[in-house]
């Protein structure tokens, strides 16, 4: 089994910053893409950012130039640095990893979610 544990959410004023972390552990052979999604109550989960194992990053237009995704492959950890936060960034943020397990199977795994609240 593979577990993703997120941390770093919280309450911040508009214009402020937060840094999310997500550490993967368990029966991991390799991790392909890692990323972040977010979801508001009653809405679909939406893409925020992803980073490949080689370090190539992709962002949603709504967060481009404000958020930066990075990863530490040695620690199986992905980060999301969020700057210039806006009230509309308020959501539950979920970590995602595309993992090849020790048994050779490739699966998507999700974290439990961390709340980010931006006050105006």
């Amino acid at each position: 089994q593979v577990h993703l544990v997120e941390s770093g959410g919280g309450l911040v004023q508009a214009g402020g910053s937060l840094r999310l972390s997500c550490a993967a552990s368990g029966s991991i052979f390799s991790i392909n893409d890692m990323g972040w999604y977010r979801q508001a109550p009653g809405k679909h989960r939406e893409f925020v950012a992803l980073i490949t194992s080689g370090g190539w990053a992709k962002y949603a237009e709504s967060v481009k130039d404000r958020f930066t995704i990075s990863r530490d492959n040695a620690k199986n950890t992905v980060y999301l640095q969020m700057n210039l936060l806006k009230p509309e960034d308020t959501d539950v943020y979920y970590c995602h990893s595309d993992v090849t397990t020790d048994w050779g199977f490739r699966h998507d795994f999700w974290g439990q979610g961390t709340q980010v609240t931006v006050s105006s």
Side-chain angles (χ1 to χ4, degrees):
Q1 187 58 284
V2 174
H3 300 281
L4 274 58
V5 179
E6 299 148 346
S7 60
L11 172 64
V12 64
Q13 287 188 329
S17 299
L18 283 174
R19 188 190 194 213
L20 306 182
S21 300
C22 173
S25 63
S27 303
I28 298 170
F29 177 76
S30 65
I31 301 180
N32 308 298
D33 295 348
M34 302 185 82
W36 293 92
Y37 291 71
R38 63 189 184 185
Q39 186 172 21
K43 293 189 176 181
H44 294 293
R45 191 168 295 185
E46 66 173 15
F47 167 77
V48 176
L50 71 80
I51 186 167
T52 67
S53 57
W56 180 83
K58 178 180 178 180
Y59 298 91
E61 282 300 317
S62 59
V63 306
K64 219 171 183 180
D65 300 325
R66 299 188 298 122
F67 291 9
T68 302
I69 190 170
S70 60
R71 66 190 278 175
D72 184 333
N73 290 330
K75 295 180 179 179
N76 289 336
T77 299
V78 63
Y79 306 95
L80 186 68
Q81 177 66 44
M82 304 185 293
N83 298 328
L84 299 174
L85 282 161
K86 304 175 182 179
E88 51 262 43
D89 293 318
T90 296
D91 269 327
V92 177
Y93 284 69
Y94 295 90
C95 170
H96 167 265
S97 289
D98 174 4
V99 176
T100 299
T101 67
D102 287 339
W103 298 278
F105 296 105
R106 190 167 175 173
H107 290 291
D108 291 323
F109 292 92
W110 293 89
Q112 79 284 0
T114 186
Q115 177 71 46
V116 171
T117 302
V118 184
S119 63
S120 56

